[in-house]
Amino acid sequence: MNLFYLRYFVTLAHVKHYTKAAQQLCITQPSLSHAIAQMEKELGKQLLVRGTHRIELTSEGMLLRRRAEELLDLA
């Protein structure tokens, strides 16, 4: 995991939509999806519940969002 992935996750957590988050981050949607999947794999936790039009954070995702925001503020 790296700071880029944390930034991607925080943006997605706020926007709650893959395509819109990817546009804000100036990356492709598949790149964002890959980064989030890689984070979930590394952590061994599901961070998001994916719906047809929106995503919601799991309890682990909410915790990571708070911690990631703190880390990004420090970086």
Side-chain angles (χ1 to χ4, degrees):
M1 188 178 321
N2 59 50
L3 289 177
F4 285 113
Y5 282 13
L6 290 177
R7 187 169 62 100
Y8 295 173
F9 177 75
V10 168
T11 301
L12 180 58
H14 285 284
V15 176
K16 296 188 178 189
H17 192 276
Y18 272 92
T19 302
K20 291 176 184 177
Q23 289 171 344
Q24 282 188 14
L25 293 162
C26 299
I27 62 172
T28 64
Q29 185 273 328
S31 297
L32 176 58
S33 293
H34 175 76
I36 300 304
Q38 185 65 30
M39 288 179 70
E40 289 181 322
K41 182 179 176 184
E42 287 179 29
L43 295 170
K45 303 284 182 187
Q46 182 178 356
L47 302 173
L48 307 167
V49 176
R50 292 146 180 90
T52 53
H53 298 289
R54 291 176 51 98
I55 59 103
E56 294 298 328
L57 297 174
T58 63
S59 57
E60 290 89 356
M62 287 185 246
L63 178 61
L64 178 62
R65 187 196 72 220
R66 286 191 298 272
R67 298 291 188 248
E69 288 171 341
E70 292 170 4
L71 288 170
L72 290 170
D73 285 343
L74 293 171

